[in-house]
Amino acid sequence: MKTLYLRIVVTFVLISLVSSLFALWIAGFYYQSQLKDENERKVTRIGEEIRALYGQTSGLDFDVYLKHIANMGFQIYAVNERLEGAYYGRPFKHEKLEPEQIRNVLAGGTYDGIRKERGLLLGFFENSLRNSVGLPIQVGEQSYALFIRPDLEQQIGEIRLFMAVLMGVAFMSSVALIVIFSRSIVRPVKHLTRATHQIVGGHYDVALNVSRRDEIGNLARDFTAMAQSLKQLDEMRQEFVANVSHEIQSPLTSIQGFAQTILDREATPEEAERYLTIIVKESNRLSSLSKQLLTLAALDKEAGLIRKTSFRLDEQIRQALIVTEWQWSEKRLNVEPELAEIVVSADPQLLYQVWFNLIVNAIKFSRPGGTIRIETAVEREVAVTVTDTGIGIGEEELPHIFERFYKADKSRTPARSGSGLGLAIVRRIVELHGGSVSVSSNPGEGSAFTVRLPYR
């Protein structure tokens, strides 16, 4: 059985067979425990009525009488004292009966063959002389042993045939319906299999029936969502590789070009010094990019990364302002820190990276002479807002600024160059601390980044 369809069909057919046999066994058990004795008593009463009727009829030939009784739906075996017997009605299939049993009936006893028969339900239908009731009957001066049982073939033959046809048709119909409707079960599984092969081949646009409201429908919807997630992940991977390649290739090209110019001695000493300065800057840019990539890779792993301690948040933000003082002083920016004394429980190194990145971004995109304001507030959570009066961010770009390598400033001037990873690192660190980061901005008016963290 190599296919799911064949397995389902065979399983259902076996279930039908086993259930039918089990139902037959239960019916036989019920017959043996509840109906067998009653059936024997009914046949005995019929035999007694046959004997009594003959006793009330004078001058009737015993042989003719038994033939008429047999024609009414009975099988009869009459044995005289010399153990000479005659059969009336449809012949018995099995005619074996012990002489002692016959003599016992001739002596005035009875024979309870139906009760003694040990078969299950099939014992009720067994056409056997031993599956009969034996009674003594007096015919003139001679004693006879009369063995009698209902002729089921004559009495309920049509019903037996009807039931056999009914059960056969029901079984074959059930098999046919199983074969047909199993396809409706297997068909969506086959579609899922084909869709899986498409995804393995790199094709993520799969079409599945998601309108069903059962487990298969739920599976199809989840599978479609998974395929879309894989597609987005693959697109992100390709974009990530392209962005990394671009970010690495640009400084490498500059470094190689200027270095080759110096080696070829085509530059004056002043130009060579300027070229070397550019090479150092591009090398630093490559170094910063590699560090940020390593940081993101470590943040994605999460495990064992967060080492929380209690520290003064306001002091940490002041330290970040001191480290970046030469940058905002060079652009003549006004820095207005409004920092309340707050103690938080967090990873100090990671959280420092958040404030450093936000402050550096604010400096980078502020116009000379602008203002940077840093405010803290505590309610149910700690809120830190970094506001600048820079170029701002367009509304269509706001949903994407925390994506890796996304750059809202498409000009990429040297003064505003970057890898596009700073805000992605900020969001990841804040999420690892159970917080959130949001931004509001208007083009030409500036931006405000708000970080919210659990309080202690």
Side-chain angles (χ1 to χ4, degrees), residues 115-128:
R115 184 180 300 175
K116 294 177 181 178
E117 184 60 37
R118 294 300 180 185
L120 290 178
L121 183 61
L122 296 179
F124 176 74
F125 298 101
E126 182 181 353
N127 182 18
S128 172

Side-chain angles (χ1 to χ4, degrees), residues 193-223:
T193 303
R194 285 197 294 269
T196 302
H197 292 161
Q198 291 179 1
I199 291 177
V200 171
H203 304 287
Y204 301 100
D205 294 321
V206 295
L208 295 173
N209 181 16
V210 297
S211 61
R212 295 178 55 151
R213 290 294 179 265
D214 55 8
E215 289 79 0
I216 296 294
N218 293 335
L219 179 60
R221 283 187 288 273
D222 292 341
F223 191 91

Side-chain angles (χ1 to χ4, degrees), residues 112-149:
D112 301 329
I114 294 178
R115 184 180 300 175
K116 294 177 181 178
E117 184 60 37
R118 294 300 180 185
L120 290 178
L121 183 61
L122 296 179
F124 176 74
F125 298 101
E126 182 181 353
N127 182 18
S128 172
L129 184 57
R130 66 189 179 198
N131 189 27
S132 64
V133 172
L135 298 172
I137 185 171
Q138 192 70 27
V139 181
E141 298 295 330
Q142 191 173 8
S143 296
Y144 277 82
L146 191 64
F147 296 90
I148 185 170
R149 73 177 303 273

Side-chain angles (χ1 to χ4, degrees), residues 48-158:
E48 291 173 347
E49 289 293 329
I50 293 173
R51 183 175 59 180
L53 180 62
Y54 179 75
Q56 296 173 3
T57 306
S58 60
L60 183 63
D61 184 83
F62 184 61
D63 185 68
V64 174
Y65 175 73
L66 292 182
K67 286 181 180 179
H68 284 292
I69 295 297
N71 290 337
M72 289 189 294
F74 295 93
Q75 294 173 274
I76 301 173
Y77 178 55
V79 188
N80 60 21
E81 295 173 342
R82 296 185 297 275
L83 299 184
E84 296 172 347
Y87 293 94
Y88 301 89
R90 190 167 62 92
F92 289 97
K93 186 175 181 181
H94 302 288
E95 300 177 351
K96 184 179 179 181
L97 199 62
E98 297 297 331
E100 291 78 6
Q101 296 170 333
I102 298 175
R103 292 191 182 95
N104 179 59
V105 176
L106 287 171
T110 59
Y111 173 69
D112 301 329
I114 294 178
R115 184 180 300 175
K116 294 177 181 178
E117 184 60 37
R118 294 300 180 185
L120 290 178
L121 183 61
L122 296 179
F124 176 74
F125 298 101
E126 182 181 353
N127 182 18
S128 172
L129 184 57
R130 66 189 179 198
N131 189 27
S132 64
V133 172
L135 298 172
I137 185 171
Q138 192 70 27
V139 181
E141 298 295 330
Q142 191 173 8
S143 296
Y144 277 82
L146 191 64
F147 296 90
I148 185 170
R149 73 177 303 273
D151 187 355
L152 299 179
E153 182 68 29
Q154 183 177 349
Q155 292 185 7
I156 59 171
E158 295 81 2

Side-chain angles (χ1 to χ4, degrees), residues 11 27 44 64 66 86 95 107 150 161 215 237 247 250 278 281 286 291 329 332 350 356 359 392 409 411 426 432:
T11 300
T44 300
V64 174
L66 292 182
E95 300 177 351
L161 179 61
E215 289 79 0
R237 178 185 61 81
E247 294 296 333
S250 296
I278 295 174
K281 289 183 178 180
L286 280 176
K291 290 179 180 179
S329 296
R332 303 184 307 279
L350 291 179
F356 182 83
I359 292 171
D409 181 21
S411 62
V426 167
L432 287 176

